[in-house]
Amino acid sequence: MRRRNIKKIFKLIQKFYKNILPQLPQKSTNRGRPRKYSDVLILSLAVLKELLGLSFRETLEIGTMYFNKVPSLRDFHYRVLQLEEIIKHLINFIHDTLQCEIESIIVDGTGIGFKKHTTLNWMRGTYVRQIKNHVRCEVVLTKGKYKLFQYVEVGKAYSSEIKLLKKLLKKIELKGKKFIADKLYDVKWLREYLKKRGIKEVIKIRKRAIGRKEVDYEEYKERNEIEGLFGNIKTKLGGYVYAYREDMARIQALIKFLLYNLYVAYIFLFTQLWNDITNFIENHIKIYKFYIIPCKIR
């Protein structure tokens, strides 16, 4: 996110959120205290937190520079925990809005760490090792006019990536010419899923596979692009999140992928506006020449 135009990001969130309202689960009709702050405000503050690497308290202090009123620390923390489905729908909607023809579908998983420590009691020896916990993100990247994340599913640490993909495919439908993945995804049900939809499988086969040819290296090496995107996101936004709870770490991990799609949307809208301006100028120059040429003084 080299272009950190925070106000533009807030406007994009508001614009896309209005379009996904029909897709969101209906809120409970039970009586209770009405919400004072909108989901757009809470989501914008959560994006600001992750973009600048702030704590919850620092986010609210800086948020007063952009918004007239901000929630209390307790309300903000509580409302952020309810954003998981909204963020997933936003990632998918931005993808479907911008991406036209899909050439390649690349699938892989990555981990985002958070501050809670886990003891590896299964390790032998007198010393019990402690590691920072993480959440597992299963990511679907598509390549067409742009590189965009189509959907992201988040699970617990060391979750099975193939099970996360199966859960993910119940929510979206893959469309594209070829599906690229490593040998972890060389399973029968996935190959049948791709065959039904006419998608070419470029999946590295397992060692014990019989009767199937190895994939073409020129096609398979496109998988490096999703690894490169993971590296860029973790370099610019951090490979961990400031959270002590797993449910909060899930939300903040999703926001990292949402920020990338918002960045692409910002570039798309900027280039579209620039093309409209240039076309407008060119058309008016042609009209100007059309009327001025016959009026030359001889």
Side-chain angles (χ1 to χ4, degrees):
M1 297 292 295
R2 291 181 179 177
R3 304 177 186 179
R4 293 191 177 184
N5 193 327
I6 296 172
K7 290 185 178 179
K8 291 281 186 183
I9 292 173
F10 293 162
K11 289 180 180 178
L12 284 173
I13 292 171
Q14 186 175 14
K15 176 182 178 180
F16 290 127
Y17 179 81
K18 290 179 180 177
N19 292 316
I20 67 165
L21 278 175
Q23 304 174 19
L24 297 178
Q26 297 296 323
K27 296 179 182 178
S28 175
T29 56
N30 296 335
R31 291 185 178 181
R33 188 178 66 179
R35 289 183 172 180
K36 187 176 180 182
Y37 302 99
S38 65
D39 287 336
V40 174
L41 173 63
I42 302 299
L43 181 58
S44 299
L45 289 171
V47 166
L48 179 66
K49 176 185 182 302
E50 200 56 40
L51 182 62
L52 302 181
L54 305 173
S55 66
F56 280 91
R57 199 178 298 276
E58 290 170 339
T59 303
L60 294 177
E61 290 176 1
I62 294 179
T64 55
M65 299 167 58
Y66 300 98
F67 302 101
N68 295 327
K69 293 182 179 180
V70 295
S72 65
L73 182 62
R74 181 175 177 275
D75 288 346
F76 179 44
H77 191 277
Y78 172 74
R79 290 288 301 280
V80 169
L81 289 172
Q82 301 173 350
L83 294 177
E84 184 170 346
E85 290 302 317
I86 293 174
I87 297 170
K88 289 179 181 178
H89 277 90
L90 273 174
I91 292 171
N92 190 25
F93 180 80
I94 295 171
H95 170 272
D96 293 346
T97 303
L98 301 184
Q99 200 75 288
C100 299
E101 295 184 2
I102 298 173
E103 292 290 330
S104 305
I105 307 161
I106 311 174
V107 175
D108 202 1
T110 188
I112 302 291
F114 61 100
K115 285 192 173 182
K116 181 181 177 182
H117 284 77
T118 302
T119 56
L120 298 180
N121 296 319
W122 51 267
M123 293 191 70
R124 295 178 180 177
T126 57
Y127 175 71
V128 179
R129 187 183 174 193
Q130 284 193 341
I131 61 168
K132 286 186 178 179
N133 213 335
H134 70 278
V135 291
R136 177 64 59 182
C137 303
E138 184 67 14
V139 182
V140 177
L141 173 74
T142 63
K143 281 183 60 183
K145 187 175 182 181
Y146 302 99
K147 294 178 190 176
L148 283 164
F149 296 122
Q150 184 177 5
Y151 203 83
V152 181
E153 190 64 48
V154 187
K156 296 181 179 180
Y158 306 107
S159 297
S160 169
E161 293 180 18
I162 196 68
K163 288 182 180 178
L164 286 176
L165 179 63
K166 197 169 188 177
K167 181 180 177 182
L168 185 151
L169 292 179
K170 293 178 181 177
K171 301 177 182 179
I172 63 168
E173 183 178 350
L174 297 182
K175 294 179 181 179
K177 295 181 180 178
K178 54 187 176 182
F179 178 94
I180 305 170
D182 59 17
K183 60 184 178 182
L184 177 68
Y185 300 89
D186 185 17
V187 291
K188 185 178 179 181
W189 69 263
L190 181 57
R191 293 197 301 269
E192 291 175 353
Y193 175 91
L194 298 173
K195 188 176 180 181
K196 285 180 182 178
R197 284 155 181 79
I199 302 172
K200 180 182 178 182
E201 60 174 85
V202 185
I203 304 173
K204 194 170 184 180
I205 62 174
R206 298 175 187 264
K207 289 183 179 179
R208 296 181 181 179
I210 300 173
R212 287 186 286 125
K213 295 180 180 179
E214 188 60 71
V215 296
D216 182 12
Y217 175 73
E218 290 299 320
E219 291 182 323
Y220 180 73
K221 70 180 183 180
E222 285 186 46
R223 200 187 74 83
N224 297 332
E225 297 186 21
I226 194 169
E227 297 287 356
L229 270 182
F230 288 160
N232 287 335
I233 288 173
K234 291 181 180 181
T235 300
K236 295 174 183 177
L237 299 176
Y240 61 95
V241 294
Y242 296 99
Y244 288 94
R245 293 172 49 174
E246 184 181 311
D247 51 358
M248 181 59 73
R250 291 162 63 98
I251 305 297
Q252 292 181 239
L254 285 169
I255 289 174
K256 291 181 185 292
F257 297 100
L258 173 63
L259 270 167
Y260 173 81
N261 274 16
L262 286 170
Y263 176 66
V264 176
Y266 172 70
I267 294 174
F268 169 78
L269 293 174
F270 177 78
T271 53
Q272 188 180 38
L273 178 63
W274 179 252
N275 290 335
D276 292 342
I277 291 172
T278 52
N279 291 335
F280 178 81
I281 293 171
E282 288 176 359
N283 291 334
H284 277 67
I285 288 173
K286 289 178 183 178
I287 294 171
Y288 175 74
K289 286 182 178 178
F290 176 77
Y291 283 108
I292 202 70
I293 288 172
C295 301
K296 285 184 178 178
I297 299 174
R298 297 179 181 177

